[in-house]
């Protein structure tokens, strides 16, 4: 951890406009970590993967659901504007920053290093303690296994080192 994160803005990856104006985020009290559940191979084009995820989300939500997405190569993509509410944790999106790792499993060392840096940045920005960072399945009333055992175990270790 500690390397310079590459962050790709919405306009750079070709984000579509939201279906309607975003609602305000409100005071940030937590971070929820997700996995995209998409196949692990982005075919070398994480920009297209972000557009595909957004297209899928636009059929159900106002916009891409997450504030930040981390590609298989460890590049951070901006999703929902930082001061706006996402759509990533049922009934718990107010004050909740959504972070998503692309893939289903076997997350890359680059992704995990970037995730550590990104979580440190978010916690610093909003003065959040490590316990404020949870996996999606740990945010009631979720009925999901997201982000899976691999990332839930990683988060438990990260919280002790953050």
């Amino acid at each position: 951890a500690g390397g310079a994160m590459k962050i790709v803005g919405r306009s750079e990856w070709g984000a579509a406009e939201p279906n309607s104006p975003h609602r305000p985020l409100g005071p940030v009290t937590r971070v929820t970590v997700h996995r995209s559940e998409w196949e692990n191979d982005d075919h070398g084009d994480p920009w297209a993967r972000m557009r595909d995820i957004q297209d899928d989300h636009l059929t159900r939500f106002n916009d891409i659901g997450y504030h930040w997405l981390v590609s298989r190569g460890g590049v951070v993509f901006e999703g929902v504007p930082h001061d706006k509410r996402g759509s990533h944790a049922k009934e718990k999106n107010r004050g909740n920053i959504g972070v998503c790792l692309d893939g289903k499993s076997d997350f890359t060392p680059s992704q995990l290093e970037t995730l550590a840096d990104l979580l440190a940045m978010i916690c610093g920005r909003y003065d959040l303690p490590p316990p404020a960072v949870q996996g999606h399945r740990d945010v009631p009333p979720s009925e999901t296994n997201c982000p899976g055992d691999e990332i839930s175990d990683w988060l438990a270790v990260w919280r002790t080192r953050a």
Side-chain angles (χ1 to χ4, degrees), residues 6-140:
K6 175 166 176 43
I7 299 177
V8 178
R10 284 178 63 95
S11 63
E12 288 179 80
W13 63 263
E17 289 297 314
N19 289 328
S20 60
H22 292 100
R23 292 166 40 193
L25 177 60
V28 174
T29 58
R30 75 172 67 200
V31 179
T32 302
V33 178
H34 303 262
R35 62 181 176 186
S36 72
E37 300 283 351
W38 288 54
E39 65 177 294
N40 288 344
D41 185 0
D42 65 14
H43 305 288
D45 191 350
W47 288 262
R49 172 62 63 90
M50 295 306 122
R51 291 188 298 273
D52 290 344
I53 292 171
Q54 185 188 36
D55 287 347
D56 176 60
H57 285 195
L58 284 169
T59 67
R60 297 172 283 152
F61 310 123
N62 180 52
D63 195 355
I64 196 163
Y66 316 108
H67 295 89
W68 303 101
L69 297 95
V70 182
S71 75
R72 302 292 295 173
V75 175
V76 177
F77 288 80
E78 288 182 322
V80 175
H82 312 146
D83 61 341
K84 303 301 181 189
R85 199 174 306 182
S87 299
H88 59 92
K90 184 178 182 178
E91 300 175 18
K92 297 290 170 96
N93 291 304
R94 182 173 172 76
N96 188 349
I97 298 290
V99 175
C100 181
L101 291 170
D102 188 31
K104 292 181 181 181
S105 61
D106 301 318
F107 297 97
T108 69
S110 294
Q111 276 183 298
L112 298 177
E113 180 177 321
T114 299
L115 178 61
D117 291 344
L118 181 59
L119 293 176
M121 181 194 83
I122 294 167
C123 287
R125 178 180 290 175
Y126 298 104
D127 196 26
L128 298 175
V133 179
Q134 298 179 304
H136 184 192
R137 69 186 187 187
D138 300 315
V139 180

